[in-house]
Amino acid sequence: MVTGWHRDTWIDVDLACIHTNIENEQKILPKKTAIWAVVKADAYGHGMLEVAKTAKKAGAEGFCVAILDEALALRDAGFSEEPILVLGAVRAEDANLAAEKKISLTLFDPLWLDQVTPTSTPLKLHLKIDTGMGRLGVRSRAEIQQVAEKMAADPRFELEGVYTHFATADQKDTQYYHAQLKRFRDGLTALPNKPAYIHVANSATGLLHDQTDFNVVRFGVSMYGMSPSDEIKDILPFELKPALSLKTRMVQVKKLHPGDHVSYGATYEATENEWVATLPIGYADGIIRHYSGFSFLVDGQKVPIIGRVCMDQLIVRLPKEYPVGTVVTIIGRSADQVILADDIARHLDTINYEVTCLLSDRIPRFYQER
């Protein structure tokens, strides 16, 4: 996708916030427990390579991604020695490439091992146990034992790790979490030899639950300064520092008169004289049509979106006339007011992860370290 360097819409990423979030997480972990930075989906919209560099400086010892191509991009960018784990499914025919690049893959089906062609370099695998998420993973003790036997008999494979993923770690009710944890511990007893890495923690788990028995935390959404959920915000062990701001500038300011309409479908009708501004951002940038009715900030004052969001533009109602070029804050701070991804998520009836992941490559990212 073409990046809009010549358009007055941009994202600022404060890398110091990411650094601080990692440092604060490390302080609450046992000394033997490493942080692996989750940088999938272009680092949740923040920019994978810049975030990975900062995470490494802050002490992250490895990385997690969703697809093999993300792992290859990290290797190509110079992350040559750090462990990189692909959390999603990888085709058996691509296993050779992963082995060559020393990229670890998730093993979720014993039959997948039979489909892998011979590799000249041992393939590092992390066995995923489905303890109740219902996505990827082996479910039975027999499957775990089958994996262990197959891998012990085949020098092409190295069982580097074993892990699971929690469905409700971001909730205060821990009953289901503890049921999953028990299933994982039971599953571990089916392995005759424990691998180097045993991990269960996403951000919520790493923030709220003891990691004494495990040696890796997959630090994702909270590395970027976002809470895993609204529900647990008030019990987090430290303040998260949001790293991403999204801003744009007014490209036209005009006065509407009673009876004037705005945007597709003419769904908005002015009932009095009012000032409005057109902003150069729309649903092709990730500001989807459901943003309609949400308010951005100008000089600390709320300016609501009126009418329907267009592909590349949208319109906001102003409290007064502003000059063209005035900055509008979509995510971030303006004067003494702040809009968080959480605020947008509530309006959209979704989660903060989706808000930042939706932000397209068309918006340029600028990085500050302070």
Side-chain angles (χ1 to χ4, degrees):
M1 180 178 285
V2 173
T3 301
W5 298 105
H6 298 91
R7 177 180 61 156
D8 282 333
T9 296
W10 70 97
I11 288 170
D12 286 322
V13 179
D14 189 338
L15 297 172
C17 292
I18 291 172
H19 198 288
T20 297
N21 293 327
I22 293 172
E23 285 186 325
N24 286 337
E25 172 66 10
Q26 192 68 74
K27 289 174 184 176
I28 67 170
L29 295 176
K31 288 185 178 180
K32 68 177 180 61
T33 303
I35 289 176
W36 287 13
V38 183
V39 293
K40 61 182 180 175
D42 199 28
Y44 296 38
H46 293 66
M48 182 174 71
L49 297 183
E50 293 297 330
V51 168
K53 291 174 189 174
T54 296
K56 182 177 177 179
K57 290 178 186 176
E61 297 179 25
F63 300 100
C64 296
V65 295
I67 61 176
L68 180 57
D69 302 84
E70 292 171 332
L72 293 170
L74 285 174
R75 286 288 187 245
D76 290 344
F79 296 93
S80 57
E81 300 299 328
E82 297 81 5
I84 301 175
L85 171 62
V86 180
L87 300 170
V90 174
R91 297 177 301 206
E93 57 263 36
D94 293 326
N96 271 290
L97 179 58
E100 176 191 336
K101 298 292 186 178
K102 298 180 181 177
I103 293 168
S104 305
L105 302 184
T106 291
L107 175 62
F108 56 90
D109 186 338
L111 298 178
W112 183 89
L113 294 170
D114 301 327
Q115 302 168 26
V116 174
T117 56
T119 60
S120 56
T121 304
L123 176 64
K124 297 178 185 293
L125 295 170
H126 287 230
L127 175 63
K128 186 170 187 182
I129 302 175
D130 176 11
T131 57
M133 184 70 180
R135 297 190 311 192
L136 296 179
V138 298
R139 295 176 64 89
S140 70
R141 187 178 185 86
E143 284 181 304
I144 297 171
Q145 291 171 335
Q146 185 183 2
V147 166
E149 291 169 4
K150 281 177 176 282
M151 296 188 70
D154 195 330
R156 295 177 302 160
F157 303 121
E158 176 188 340
L159 185 60
E160 181 185 51
V162 58
Y163 76 106
T164 194
H165 189 68
F166 293 114
T168 63
D170 60 353
Q171 299 175 14
K172 290 182 177 178
D173 185 340
T174 61
Q175 183 175 353
Y176 195 79
Y177 164 82
H178 284 294
Q180 281 194 259
L181 184 61
K182 183 179 184 302
R183 291 189 199 111
F184 182 72
R185 293 190 191 282
D186 290 345
L188 285 180
T189 64
L191 290 174
N193 299 299
K194 300 300 184 290
Y197 300 113
I198 301 175
H199 49 110
V200 299
N202 54 7
S203 285
T205 311
L207 287 164
L208 299 181
H209 299 285
D210 181 39
Q211 297 302 304
T212 302
D213 294 343
F214 311 110
N215 55 12
V216 169
V217 166
R218 307 184 301 270
F219 202 42
V221 69
S222 295
M223 178 172 67
Y224 306 100
M226 297 187 289
S227 176
S229 72
D230 271 349
E231 182 176 337
I232 63 171
K233 262 187 168 182
D234 64 335
I235 58 171
L236 295 178
F238 56 86
E239 181 186 359
L240 297 169
K241 306 289 187 184
L244 184 145
S245 298
L246 172 60
K247 298 182 181 181
T248 188
R249 294 182 186 272
M250 302 176 192
V251 294
Q252 187 174 26
V253 176
K254 63 181 70 171
K255 179 180 277 189
L256 297 185
H257 303 289
D260 287 343
H261 292 82
V262 166
S263 197
Y264 288 114
T267 57
Y268 180 84
E269 181 178 350
T271 58
E272 58 184 358
N273 291 332
E274 55 190 48
W275 289 99
V276 301
T278 300
L279 309 182
I281 189 169
Y283 61 76
D285 303 294
I287 306 302
I288 60 175
R289 282 169 44 127
H290 285 298
Y291 269 76
S292 293
F294 188 74
S295 293
F296 301 149
L297 294 172
V298 175
D299 292 336
Q301 298 184 72
K302 290 185 176 181
V303 292
I305 300 171
I306 57 175
R308 292 175 179 165
V309 175
C310 308
M311 183 182 291
D312 316 296
Q313 301 171 86
L314 58 83
I315 300 98
V316 294
R317 187 173 65 242
L318 305 175
K320 63 179 182 179
E321 182 180 11
Y322 282 92
V324 168
T326 299
V327 172
V328 179
T329 299
I330 298 170
I331 301 174
R333 178 172 294 278
S334 173
D336 61 346
Q337 299 296 313
V338 176
I339 296 175
L340 299 174
D342 295 344
D343 301 318
I344 297 171
R346 290 186 207 103
H347 177 81
L348 299 180
D349 192 25
T350 185
I351 55 176
N352 51 19
Y353 304 65
E354 188 172 25
V355 171
T356 60
C357 284
L358 280 173
L359 300 176
S360 79
D361 293 342
R362 197 165 75 162
I363 308 174
R365 272 76 168 161
F366 296 94
Y367 297 92
Q368 295 84 38
E369 297 191 49
R370 281 190 292 179

